Amino acid sequence: MDVRNDGGGHEIISIKGILGLLMANIDARDNGKKVISLGIGDPTAYSCFYTTSAAQEAVVDALRSTKFNGYSPNVGLPQTRKALAEYLSRDLPYKLQPDDVYVTAGCTQAIEISLSILARPGGNILLPRPGFPIYGLCATFRNLEVRYFDLLPEKQWEVDLSSLEKLADSNTVAMVIINPGNPCGNVYTYQHLKEVCIGIKLFTFNTPKYGPIIAETAKRLGIVVIADEVYGHLAFGANPFVPMGVFGSVSPVITLGSMSKRWLVPGWRLGWLVTNDPDGSLKSPKAAVPTIVEETQEVFFKKTINILKQASEICLQKIREIDCISCPSKPEGSMAFMEYHQLFVPLLRMLRWNSQFGRKPGAAPYKDYHMVNLESEPIIKGMHSGVSRKIDGPRLYTIAWR
């Protein structure tokens, strides 16, 4: 068991350690039920999702041609950049150029590159909470101070614009918008995305010398929007997907994406970084992609959307049947959604109490309940006192295969 001492007389155990204890005490032979993980982000792990034949055949043709066995340009093959520029331009009021597109090894590399380019001494970056944890890790690695702005569950996980205004200052280099949302499963409206961009352009910040001033433009502040659109077009609710690049003339946008989710090929590691900058604010002095983008039929995407919608409805219904769990909003996009719970571990009947938890059956309940955010807390202190403590907080479930 992953337990260690924090130096102050308290034992600490990681979230994975707790999960290991729970799983070790589940005996499937008693009821014949199999435990299904709801936290896997790979849709191909289940048979209901598989990529289009056009994508598979394009990769085979590219391999058999023997034309792409050598080193490719660091920024990506010319035909790949051209195809992606045309594909992404379909939803924009302006046309992207191949030079605006940089091909990456999945979206994770695109995140690393974008943050490494924007990082500077004393800089900070604004990240959504809840959000995708890799941004925080990459920012810390680049010595960027992380400042979190809240997403409002009662407003379909919209950005808390008032918190943005308080967080931004002259050292803010960028903010991250994830749409469709991961892990919240929301899809932002056109109007809200526009408000975010305008808000960036009119941030109020304080400096010791000048006091409160209003930045005239996002360019003067040095703030760009990093738009994580890995789940782009995977929208099945009332709000259609709107790419952040639509507002590139209001504030420069760096769009990050990949083929992983829409084409259901996360193992191929095909991603991109795109500069949506029609006014030139940011500018200074893999072979199968074109065929995949051009020949994939719309029916393939519609089938994926239909499965995701049905899966989300089933998963939401089942989650709501559990008394101690509630979901603040119905998922409308991506492959995940967020739920809140007030979970008394003894309610989990599959849990087998034993001496590992340091509390004997029948002992008086503990009154000093701890609140734990299972999305972000790395450890839980005082677990030696008993797992009967109350656990509150958001929990991530992935719905792609339900």
Side-chain angles (χ1 to χ4, degrees):
M1 184 172 65
D2 184 15
V3 178
R4 61 186 186 276
N5 196 287
D6 66 354
H10 295 93
E11 290 180 348
I12 56 177
I13 181 172
S14 67
I15 293 295
K16 287 187 177 180
I18 294 174
L19 179 61
L21 288 173
L22 293 174
M23 296 299 293
N25 285 276
I26 295 175
D27 192 345
R29 292 173 297 180
D30 291 345
N31 52 30
K33 294 182 179 179
K34 180 181 178 181
V35 178
I36 300 175
S37 173
L38 296 178
I40 301 175
D42 183 356
T44 66
Y46 297 87
S47 59
C48 59
F49 288 112
Y50 48 87
T51 192
T52 171
S53 59
Q56 297 174 340
E57 292 168 4
V59 171
V60 171
D61 292 343
L63 290 173
R64 287 178 174 171
S65 72
T66 71
K67 296 178 180 179
F68 308 102
N69 293 336
Y71 291 115
S72 62
N74 290 335
V75 293
L77 294 169
Q79 60 268 44
T80 299
R81 301 174 75 192
K82 180 177 182 292
L84 288 173
E86 293 175 352
Y87 164 70
L88 296 170
S89 294
R90 298 174 188 173
D91 303 310
L92 300 176
Y94 52 89
K95 186 175 179 60
L96 292 169
Q97 300 301 315
D99 286 346
D100 297 322
V101 180
Y102 304 87
V103 182
T104 61
C107 190
T108 297
Q109 188 188 30
I111 295 172
E112 294 173 347
I113 292 173
S114 59
L115 267 60
S116 66
I117 292 172
L118 294 169
R120 68 186 188 207
N124 64 74
I125 187 169
L126 311 183
L127 302 181
R129 180 174 55 195
F132 188 48
I134 285 181
Y135 283 99
L137 294 174
C138 290
T140 301
F141 183 74
R142 299 294 177 182
N143 292 317
L144 276 172
E145 178 192 353
V146 175
R147 299 180 179 181
Y148 290 100
F149 59 88
D150 292 325
L151 304 182
L152 306 174
E154 68 275 12
K155 294 185 177 181
Q156 297 291 316
W157 303 102
E158 287 188 351
V159 175
D160 184 353
L161 296 176
S162 62
S163 69
L164 278 180
E165 185 175 346
K166 297 174 183 177
L167 293 171
D169 60 24
S170 57
N171 291 319
T172 303
V173 298
M175 70 171 296
V176 173
I177 294 291
I178 305 176
N179 183 46
N182 178 18
C184 298
N186 57 294
V187 179
Y188 291 129
T189 64
Y190 176 97
Q191 183 60 34
H192 184 61
L193 292 175
K194 185 177 180 181
E195 289 174 351
V196 170
C197 277
I198 293 176
I200 293 172
K201 204 167 185 176
L202 298 176
F203 275 141
T204 299
F205 63 91
N206 293 282
T207 62
K209 184 175 180 181
Y210 299 104
I213 61 176
I214 295 180
E216 295 179 356
T217 64
K219 180 178 180 180
R220 180 173 178 178
L221 263 181
I223 293 179
V224 299
V225 179
I226 299 176
D228 185 324
E229 297 178 355
V230 167
Y231 291 96
H233 294 283
L234 292 181
F236 43 82
N239 299 330
F241 168 67
V242 178
M244 198 73 179
V246 168
F247 308 100
S249 59
V250 177
S251 179
V253 175
I254 297 177
T255 298
L256 312 181
S258 76
M259 288 194 159
S260 298
K261 307 302 182 181
R262 196 179 188 203
W263 272 272
L264 307 174
V265 287
W268 291 9
R269 311 309 298 152
L270 288 169
W272 53 80
L273 182 156
V274 178
T275 55
N276 295 272
D277 185 30
D279 296 337
S281 301
L282 292 176
K283 294 182 179 178
S284 58
K286 303 187 174 181
V289 171
T291 304
I292 295 174
V293 170
E294 294 167 6
E295 296 189 10
T296 298
Q297 301 296 314
E298 190 64 27
V299 64
F300 167 76
F301 299 126
K302 290 182 178 179
K303 179 181 177 181
T304 301
I305 291 295
N306 288 336
I307 294 176
L308 284 172
K309 185 176 182 179
Q310 294 174 17
S312 69
E313 292 172 351
I314 294 172
C315 197
L316 182 64
Q317 176 186 344
K318 295 300 181 182
I319 289 295
R320 286 177 171 173
E321 290 176 1
I322 303 174
D323 293 337
C324 54
I325 297 179
S326 63
C327 185
S329 61
K330 183 178 180 180
E332 295 190 340
S334 80
M335 293 181 176
F337 73 93
M338 189 70 73
E339 59 86 14
Y340 282 90
H341 60 264
Q342 292 183 328
L343 176 60
F344 286 90
V345 176
L347 289 177
L348 301 177
R349 295 182 178 178
M350 77 288 288
L351 180 62
R352 221 186 256 164
W353 292 99
N354 55 49
S355 59
Q356 294 184 73
F357 295 104
R359 178 172 177 263
K360 297 179 180 180
Y366 292 95
K367 297 181 179 179
D368 53 333
Y369 298 128
H370 281 218
M371 294 182 67
V372 179
N373 184 326
L374 294 183
E375 178 62 19
S376 60
E377 285 291 331
I379 57 175
I380 301 177
K381 293 186 177 181
M383 287 305 297
H384 66 287
S385 298
V387 190
S388 64
R389 294 179 182 272
K390 180 181 178 183
I391 302 176
D392 293 352
R395 179 87 177 194
L396 168 64
Y397 286 99
T398 305
I399 61 172
W401 49 83
R402 295 295 292 143

